Amino acid sequence: MGISAAGEAMAAERVRAYVGLGANLGDAPHTLAAAVNTLHALPGVALHGVSRLYVTRPVGVTDQPDFHNAVVALDVPAGPDPETGALALLVALKAIEKAFGRQERRRWGPRELDLDLLVFGTHRINIDPAGVASRAGVPDPGDGTWLQVPHPSARDRLFVLAPLAELAPDLVPPGWERSVAAACTERVTIDGDQVARPVGTWQGRGWDLSP
């Protein structure tokens, strides 16, 4: 295989990534629909699946509006190594948040748009984005955030588990001892079934919110 052919093969390699979406300011369903379409339009990204839209109770800071949440499955460029590929996706997510008017507020506070990288293939990653930005060929996100994949809070959050279980019920993310579906069932017994309620289905470009 020649150099150009090898490069094309690397570029064609993809990883299944799961991204959580959330918002509770403005027209959240419209915002999340636009965010899904923006993710789909990223270079080299294929949209594999979109969960139902959920209304969820806020966690950590309760004196704020309920959130709308969903999860998307994306086939994304793998990159030359998992850390670089995951970092490139993280930078894209941060850029989308900014483009949608995301403002920095207190932790767990209201959000115009929140995009979380939940799972990146079968890889377990814990890196400082600034430490590998130059190697990744992408800009430093600039917020000092450590990238941890799978997302460290995902297994304890029903607003993540409920939509994720729709897309990948049998998935056992690296470091987990049970499947997403099993973790979701366990969480429902703890939090109750009203913490995350489905309110819409994805219809190609937006949410169908019909009763």
Side-chain angles (χ1 to χ4, degrees):
M1 179 180 291
I3 295 178
S4 60
E8 291 176 0
M10 178 177 290
E13 291 180 359
R14 289 180 173 178
V15 167
R16 177 67 48 79
Y18 294 91
V19 174
L21 303 89
N24 72 336
L25 295 177
D27 186 345
H30 179 269
T31 296
L32 296 190
V36 171
N37 291 315
T38 302
L39 289 168
H40 188 193
L42 289 173
V45 170
L47 182 64
H48 181 77
V50 183
S51 75
R52 288 182 293 178
L53 182 67
Y54 284 77
V55 169
T56 67
R57 295 176 185 170
V59 174
V61 177
T62 58
D63 58 336
Q64 59 177 316
D66 285 347
F67 277 82
H68 283 76
N69 291 95
V71 169
V72 297
L74 305 172
D75 291 330
V76 304
D81 56 72
E83 290 82 6
T84 300
L87 176 63
L89 180 56
L90 174 67
V91 170
L93 299 183
K94 294 291 185 181
I96 293 171
E97 288 181 346
K98 185 175 181 180
F100 276 74
R102 168 75 179 265
Q103 302 294 317
E104 292 302 322
R105 298 183 177 87
R106 57 181 172 169
R107 188 182 185 190
W108 296 322
R111 312 284 176 85
E112 289 82 5
L113 176 63
D114 191 29
L115 298 175
D116 287 323
L117 178 53
L118 306 174
V119 178
F120 191 79
T122 60
H123 305 295
R124 195 170 188 176
I125 301 169
N126 191 342
I127 58 175
D128 177 356
V132 296
S134 59
R135 177 166 61 87
V138 293
D140 179 356
D143 62 1
T145 302
W146 283 72
L147 173 60
Q148 291 181 276
V149 181
H151 194 287
S153 300
R155 73 178 81 189
D156 300 319
R157 304 301 191 213
L158 199 52
F159 64 80
V160 171
L161 291 170
L164 182 58
E166 294 182 7
L167 300 178
D170 298 326
L171 175 68
V172 181
W176 289 31
E177 298 177 352
R178 57 180 65 85
S179 69
V180 171
C184 181
T185 298
E186 179 180 354
R187 200 69 224 176
V188 168
T189 64
I190 297 172
D191 295 340
D193 58 7
Q194 294 301 305
V195 171
R197 298 178 291 105
V199 295
T201 56
W202 185 252
Q203 298 296 324
R205 298 288 296 179
W207 304 105
D208 179 0
L209 303 177
S210 303

